Amino acid sequence: MSTTGRVAAIIAAAGQGRRLGRATPKQWLPLAGRTMVQRSVDAFDACHLVDEIVVVVGSDAAVPALAARKPLRIVRGGERRQDSVANGFEATGEGAAIIVIHDAARPFVTTALIERTIAAAREAGAAVAALAARDTVKQVEGGSRDVARTLDRESIFLAQTPQAFRRDVLRDAITRGREVSAASPLAHATDEAMLAERAGHAVRIVLGEVANMKITTEEDFALAEAMLDRAGAAGPGDVRTGVGYDLHRLVEGRPLVLGGITIPFDRGLLGHSDADAICHAITDAVLGAAGAGDIGGHFPDTDPRWKGASSLELLREVVAKVRDRGFLILNVDAVVVAEHPKLTPHVAAIRESLAGALGIAPNRVSVKGKTNEGVGELGRGEALAVHAVATLRKS
Ligand code: MG
């Protein structure tokens, strides 16, 4: 068993892709902006076990540009798949101890599957990614549509690529493919593992992946586009986070307003407006996430218009502004630091009130109370502080 030695990847992209019924072979068609060949190259380029990449293209095809950080060579294929792989093999460096072959028509191959296949080939000499049959397998004879027998599903695996080989094993397989008569089924082997098996080598199965589908028909292509669409929609997209902080003195003779809710207490927050520190911190967090300045810039306290203003209304205005800039508010979280009063009995009402101003569901708004353990100004009850974060998505 060898655990070292360079690894070369051969990406088979020479197929004519006639089944897709378009002028350009399928592997060169853009799939959500990137061709299948480039997607396959990217997967091997990202795999730290792979040292070099050889792409085998059609003998007369024009070759669109391919990009990789690793050494990448493009070679012309032959008449049959096995001729193309043989040309790719010749182009790999002599130092390549393991050669991993992949069909460009499987653009969803993962780095993890490539790694598993390489590791198994180092151990067993040859390895093939394959899926356990999940459907019951029926066999027919002579092109008939009548079932001749049902095969034992437990014994059936459906081969995918990558397939990886020790250099000597692949050389044997290629030689075997050259020697067979034109009438032999090996004359048009559909994978290299088949040639290695016939040359007497052990080939180990590595569990493949359902998403590692081969895109052959128009239906497959549409399915692949839908998978990428959904991945894009489900992904995080352009998500921005903002942080906000506010502190106000607690003084007698003022109402205590937090999140638009007036809380019974013997003191209130001192300020130009209603001094609602939760609303102020959240407003700054929302503006911060949108890169849209801060509360002081939007509502200067030198402006008499904001004297005694409802900070919940100001938050509502800011939400409208960031919406106009194409932002959607995903969630808001705030921590209120105060020795007194106890916030817990009011949290539900505050969340409900903030959710209304933010235009989101209350379960996307979180408010938590915290004491300062008697330490400092906050601990002595001279002031109340709020920390907040907001997460927004740019549409
Ligand atoms: Mg403030």
Side-chain angles (χ1 to χ4, degrees), residues 209-269:
E209 292 169 358
V210 174
N212 182 30
M213 62 190 276
K214 187 170 188 176
I215 298 169
T216 304
T217 63
E218 200 64 55
E219 192 186 6
D220 301 335
F221 199 83
L223 184 61
E225 281 184 319
M227 279 166 64
L228 288 165
D229 257 15
R230 184 167 300 181
D238 187 357
V239 170
R240 319 272 181 96
T241 302
V243 62
Y245 171 77
D246 197 27
L247 178 144
H248 284 264
R249 287 179 185 281
L250 273 169
V251 297
E252 283 178 9
R254 289 268 301 178
L256 176 62
V257 182
L258 289 173
I261 302 292
T262 304
I263 292 169
F265 191 45
D266 58 3
R267 283 161 293 155
L269 297 172

Side-chain angles (χ1 to χ4, degrees), residues 36-226:
M36 289 192 227
V37 183
Q38 184 65 60
R39 286 178 181 277
S40 293
V41 166
D42 289 347
F44 285 84
D45 202 27
C47 177
H48 74 283
L49 296 180
V50 172
D51 299 295
E52 58 172 322
I53 300 168
V54 176
V55 180
V56 187
V57 303
S59 51
D60 49 5
V63 180
L66 288 171
R69 282 167 305 167
K70 290 177 180 161
L72 179 134
R73 249 166 305 167
I74 295 172
V75 301
R76 293 287 176 184
E79 201 182 318
R80 302 165 303 168
R81 178 193 169 90
Q82 60 222 67
D83 303 323
S84 294
V85 168
N87 291 0
F89 179 69
E90 297 306 327
T92 63
E94 274 295 325
I98 296 284
I99 290 138
V100 51
I101 299 167
H102 184 66
D103 282 336
R106 295 185 187 272
F108 298 129
V109 63
T110 63
T111 303
L113 182 56
I114 297 168
E115 287 177 5
R116 289 204 297 279
T117 311
I118 290 169
R122 283 199 200 278
E123 245 181 62
V128 47
L131 281 183
R134 294 195 288 191
D135 301 323
T136 302
V137 183
K138 305 289 184 191
Q139 190 171 42
V140 298
E141 276 169 0
S144 154
R145 282 290 189 240
D146 296 326
V147 173
R149 64 192 66 83
T150 297
L151 302 181
D152 174 19
R153 185 174 63 185
E154 300 293 316
S155 72
I156 305 286
F157 282 83
L158 308 172
Q160 303 183 326
T161 66
Q163 305 192 350
F165 307 86
R166 241 176 24 221
R167 186 173 192 84
D168 58 304
V169 174
L170 184 58
R171 192 189 295 114
D172 265 9
I174 288 170
T175 305
R176 181 83 180 177
R178 285 208 183 104
E179 284 168 351
V180 293
S181 73
S184 161
L186 291 185
H188 291 276
T190 48
D191 72 356
E192 287 60 50
M194 180 175 170
L195 294 167
E197 291 152 35
R198 298 301 176 90
H201 294 285
V203 177
R204 181 169 298 171
I205 282 175
V206 171
L207 277 188
E209 292 169 358
V210 174
N212 182 30
M213 62 190 276
K214 187 170 188 176
I215 298 169
T216 304
T217 63
E218 200 64 55
E219 192 186 6
D220 301 335
F221 199 83
L223 184 61
E225 281 184 319

